[in-house]
Short mmCIF file of all heavy atoms in Angstrom, two decimals:
data_model
loop_
_atom_site.label_atom_id
_atom_site.label_comp_id
_atom_site.label_asym_id
_atom_site.label_seq_id
_atom_site.Cartn_x
_atom_site.Cartn_y
_atom_site.Cartn_z
N GLU K 1 -12.42 -29.64 -2.16
CA GLU K 1 -12.18 -29.87 -3.58
C GLU K 1 -13.08 -30.99 -4.09
O GLU K 1 -13.67 -30.90 -5.18
CB GLU K 1 -10.72 -30.24 -3.81
CG GLU K 1 -9.74 -29.11 -3.57
CD GLU K 1 -9.74 -28.11 -4.71
OE1 GLU K 1 -9.64 -28.52 -5.87
OE2 GLU K 1 -9.87 -26.90 -4.42
N PHE K 2 -13.18 -32.04 -3.31
CA PHE K 2 -14.02 -33.18 -3.70
C PHE K 2 -15.48 -32.76 -3.80
O PHE K 2 -16.20 -33.18 -4.72
CB PHE K 2 -13.86 -34.31 -2.69
CG PHE K 2 -14.90 -35.39 -2.86
CD1 PHE K 2 -14.83 -36.28 -3.92
CD2 PHE K 2 -15.97 -35.50 -1.97
CE1 PHE K 2 -15.79 -37.26 -4.09
CE2 PHE K 2 -16.92 -36.47 -2.14
CZ PHE K 2 -16.84 -37.37 -3.20
N GLU K 3 -15.97 -31.94 -2.86
CA GLU K 3 -17.37 -31.51 -2.89
C GLU K 3 -17.67 -30.79 -4.21
O GLU K 3 -18.73 -30.99 -4.82
CB GLU K 3 -17.67 -30.57 -1.72
CG GLU K 3 -17.53 -31.19 -0.35
CD GLU K 3 -18.75 -31.97 0.09
OE1 GLU K 3 -19.78 -31.92 -0.61
OE2 GLU K 3 -18.68 -32.63 1.14
N GLY K 4 -16.75 -29.95 -4.67
CA GLY K 4 -16.95 -29.27 -5.93
C GLY K 4 -16.98 -30.23 -7.10
O GLY K 4 -17.82 -30.12 -8.00
N ALA K 5 -16.06 -31.20 -7.12
CA ALA K 5 -16.01 -32.18 -8.20
C ALA K 5 -17.27 -33.04 -8.22
O ALA K 5 -17.83 -33.33 -9.28
CB ALA K 5 -14.78 -33.07 -8.06
N PHE K 6 -17.71 -33.46 -7.05
CA PHE K 6 -18.93 -34.27 -6.95
C PHE K 6 -20.13 -33.50 -7.49
O PHE K 6 -20.92 -34.03 -8.30
CB PHE K 6 -19.17 -34.66 -5.49
CG PHE K 6 -20.38 -35.52 -5.25
CD1 PHE K 6 -20.28 -36.90 -5.22
CD2 PHE K 6 -21.63 -34.95 -5.05
CE1 PHE K 6 -21.40 -37.70 -5.00
CE2 PHE K 6 -22.76 -35.73 -4.84
CZ PHE K 6 -22.64 -37.11 -4.82
N ALA K 7 -20.28 -32.24 -7.07
CA ALA K 7 -21.42 -31.43 -7.50
C ALA K 7 -21.44 -31.25 -9.01
O ALA K 7 -22.48 -31.43 -9.66
CB ALA K 7 -21.38 -30.07 -6.80
N LEU K 8 -20.29 -30.93 -9.59
CA LEU K 8 -20.24 -30.67 -11.02
C LEU K 8 -20.47 -31.94 -11.83
O LEU K 8 -21.21 -31.95 -12.82
CB LEU K 8 -18.89 -30.05 -11.39
CG LEU K 8 -18.68 -29.71 -12.87
CD1 LEU K 8 -19.77 -28.76 -13.38
CD2 LEU K 8 -17.30 -29.09 -13.09
N THR K 9 -19.85 -33.04 -11.43
CA THR K 9 -19.92 -34.27 -12.22
C THR K 9 -21.33 -34.84 -12.21
O THR K 9 -21.84 -35.27 -13.26
CB THR K 9 -18.91 -35.30 -11.70
OG1 THR K 9 -17.62 -34.70 -11.65
CG2 THR K 9 -18.85 -36.50 -12.61
N PHE K 10 -21.98 -34.84 -11.08
CA PHE K 10 -23.34 -35.37 -11.05
C PHE K 10 -24.33 -34.41 -11.71
O PHE K 10 -25.37 -34.84 -12.23
CB PHE K 10 -23.76 -35.73 -9.63
CG PHE K 10 -23.38 -37.14 -9.26
CD1 PHE K 10 -22.23 -37.39 -8.52
CD2 PHE K 10 -24.12 -38.22 -9.70
CE1 PHE K 10 -21.86 -38.68 -8.21
CE2 PHE K 10 -23.75 -39.52 -9.41
CZ PHE K 10 -22.61 -39.76 -8.65
N GLU K 11 -24.02 -33.12 -11.75
CA GLU K 11 -24.86 -32.21 -12.52
C GLU K 11 -24.78 -32.54 -14.01
O GLU K 11 -25.78 -32.54 -14.72
CB GLU K 11 -24.40 -30.76 -12.28
CG GLU K 11 -25.22 -29.71 -13.01
CD GLU K 11 -26.66 -29.60 -12.52
OE1 GLU K 11 -26.92 -29.97 -11.36
OE2 GLU K 11 -27.52 -29.14 -13.29
N VAL K 12 -23.57 -32.85 -14.49
CA VAL K 12 -23.41 -33.24 -15.89
C VAL K 12 -24.15 -34.54 -16.18
O VAL K 12 -24.79 -34.70 -17.23
CB VAL K 12 -21.90 -33.35 -16.24
CG1 VAL K 12 -21.71 -34.02 -17.60
CG2 VAL K 12 -21.27 -31.97 -16.25
N ALA K 13 -24.07 -35.50 -15.24
CA ALA K 13 -24.78 -36.77 -15.43
C ALA K 13 -26.28 -36.54 -15.57
O ALA K 13 -26.93 -37.11 -16.45
CB ALA K 13 -24.49 -37.70 -14.26
N HIS K 14 -26.83 -35.71 -14.70
CA HIS K 14 -28.27 -35.43 -14.77
C HIS K 14 -28.62 -34.65 -16.04
O HIS K 14 -29.64 -34.91 -16.69
CB HIS K 14 -28.69 -34.64 -13.53
CG HIS K 14 -30.14 -34.79 -13.20
ND1 HIS K 14 -30.76 -34.10 -12.17
CD2 HIS K 14 -31.12 -35.53 -13.76
CE1 HIS K 14 -32.03 -34.44 -12.11
NE2 HIS K 14 -32.28 -35.29 -13.08
N LEU K 15 -27.76 -33.73 -16.40
CA LEU K 15 -27.96 -32.93 -17.61
C LEU K 15 -27.96 -33.82 -18.86
O LEU K 15 -28.78 -33.64 -19.77
CB LEU K 15 -26.85 -31.88 -17.71
CG LEU K 15 -26.88 -30.91 -18.88
CD1 LEU K 15 -28.16 -30.08 -18.87
CD2 LEU K 15 -25.65 -30.00 -18.81
N LEU K 16 -27.08 -34.81 -18.90
CA LEU K 16 -27.03 -35.74 -20.03
C LEU K 16 -28.38 -36.43 -20.22
O LEU K 16 -28.88 -36.54 -21.35
CB LEU K 16 -25.92 -36.76 -19.81
CG LEU K 16 -25.80 -37.90 -20.83
CD1 LEU K 16 -25.50 -37.36 -22.23
CD2 LEU K 16 -24.72 -38.90 -20.40
N GLY K 17 -28.95 -36.91 -19.14
CA GLY K 17 -30.25 -37.58 -19.25
C GLY K 17 -31.35 -36.64 -19.72
O GLY K 17 -32.20 -37.03 -20.54
N ARG K 18 -31.35 -35.42 -19.23
CA ARG K 18 -32.39 -34.46 -19.64
C ARG K 18 -32.26 -34.13 -21.13
O ARG K 18 -33.26 -34.03 -21.84
CB ARG K 18 -32.29 -33.19 -18.79
CG ARG K 18 -32.60 -33.41 -17.32
CD ARG K 18 -32.98 -32.12 -16.61
NE ARG K 18 -31.95 -31.10 -16.69
CZ ARG K 18 -30.93 -30.97 -15.84
NH1 ARG K 18 -30.77 -31.85 -14.86
NH2 ARG K 18 -30.07 -29.98 -15.96
N VAL K 19 -31.03 -33.95 -21.59
CA VAL K 19 -30.82 -33.64 -23.01
C VAL K 19 -31.23 -34.82 -23.89
O VAL K 19 -31.91 -34.65 -24.91
CB VAL K 19 -29.35 -33.23 -23.26
CG1 VAL K 19 -29.07 -33.15 -24.75
CG2 VAL K 19 -29.05 -31.89 -22.59
N GLU K 20 -30.84 -36.02 -23.50
CA GLU K 20 -31.15 -37.20 -24.31
C GLU K 20 -32.65 -37.42 -24.44
O GLU K 20 -33.12 -37.93 -25.47
CB GLU K 20 -30.50 -38.43 -23.69
CG GLU K 20 -29.00 -38.53 -23.90
CD GLU K 20 -28.41 -39.80 -23.33
OE1 GLU K 20 -28.97 -40.35 -22.35
OE2 GLU K 20 -27.37 -40.24 -23.85
N HIS K 21 -33.42 -37.06 -23.43
CA HIS K 21 -34.85 -37.37 -23.43
C HIS K 21 -35.73 -36.15 -23.65
O HIS K 21 -36.93 -36.19 -23.37
CB HIS K 21 -35.22 -38.08 -22.13
CG HIS K 21 -34.58 -39.42 -22.00
ND1 HIS K 21 -34.99 -40.52 -22.72
CD2 HIS K 21 -33.51 -39.84 -21.27
CE1 HIS K 21 -34.23 -41.55 -22.43
NE2 HIS K 21 -33.32 -41.17 -21.56
N GLY K 22 -35.13 -35.07 -24.18
CA GLY K 22 -35.92 -33.90 -24.57
C GLY K 22 -36.54 -33.16 -23.41
O GLY K 22 -37.52 -32.42 -23.59
N ALA K 23 -35.98 -33.30 -22.21
CA ALA K 23 -36.52 -32.61 -21.04
C ALA K 23 -35.66 -31.42 -20.64
O ALA K 23 -35.92 -30.79 -19.61
CB ALA K 23 -36.62 -33.59 -19.87
N ALA K 24 -34.65 -31.09 -21.44
CA ALA K 24 -33.71 -30.02 -21.08
C ALA K 24 -34.28 -28.66 -21.41
O ALA K 24 -35.14 -28.51 -22.30
CB ALA K 24 -32.40 -30.22 -21.82
N LEU K 25 -33.81 -27.64 -20.71
CA LEU K 25 -34.14 -26.26 -21.03
C LEU K 25 -33.44 -25.88 -22.34
O LEU K 25 -32.49 -26.54 -22.76
CB LEU K 25 -33.69 -25.34 -19.89
CG LEU K 25 -34.38 -25.58 -18.55
CD1 LEU K 25 -33.71 -24.74 -17.45
CD2 LEU K 25 -35.86 -25.26 -18.64
N PRO K 26 -33.88 -24.80 -23.00
CA PRO K 26 -33.33 -24.48 -24.32
C PRO K 26 -31.81 -24.34 -24.37
O PRO K 26 -31.19 -24.69 -25.37
CB PRO K 26 -34.03 -23.15 -24.65
CG PRO K 26 -35.33 -23.22 -23.92
CD PRO K 26 -35.03 -23.94 -22.64
N HIS K 27 -31.21 -23.85 -23.30
CA HIS K 27 -29.76 -23.61 -23.34
C HIS K 27 -28.94 -24.85 -22.94
O HIS K 27 -27.71 -24.83 -23.07
CB HIS K 27 -29.39 -22.46 -22.39
CG HIS K 27 -29.55 -22.80 -20.94
ND1 HIS K 27 -30.78 -22.83 -20.32
CD2 HIS K 27 -28.65 -23.14 -19.98
CE1 HIS K 27 -30.63 -23.17 -19.05
NE2 HIS K 27 -29.34 -23.36 -18.82
#
């Protein structure tokens, strides 16, 4: 359960940075 939570939460953290700095994919 923890492995799933860790994977998802750090994906969101990385996604936040990409969106904020215009490096995100269109979706």
Side-chain angles (χ1 to χ4, degrees):
E1 291 284 310
F2 168 74
E3 297 278 352
F6 181 94
L8 180 57
T9 307
F10 272 99
E11 181 67 24
V12 168
H14 204 184
L15 181 60
L16 175 62
R18 295 200 302 273
V19 170
E20 285 183 331
H21 294 286
L25 297 172
H27 69 283

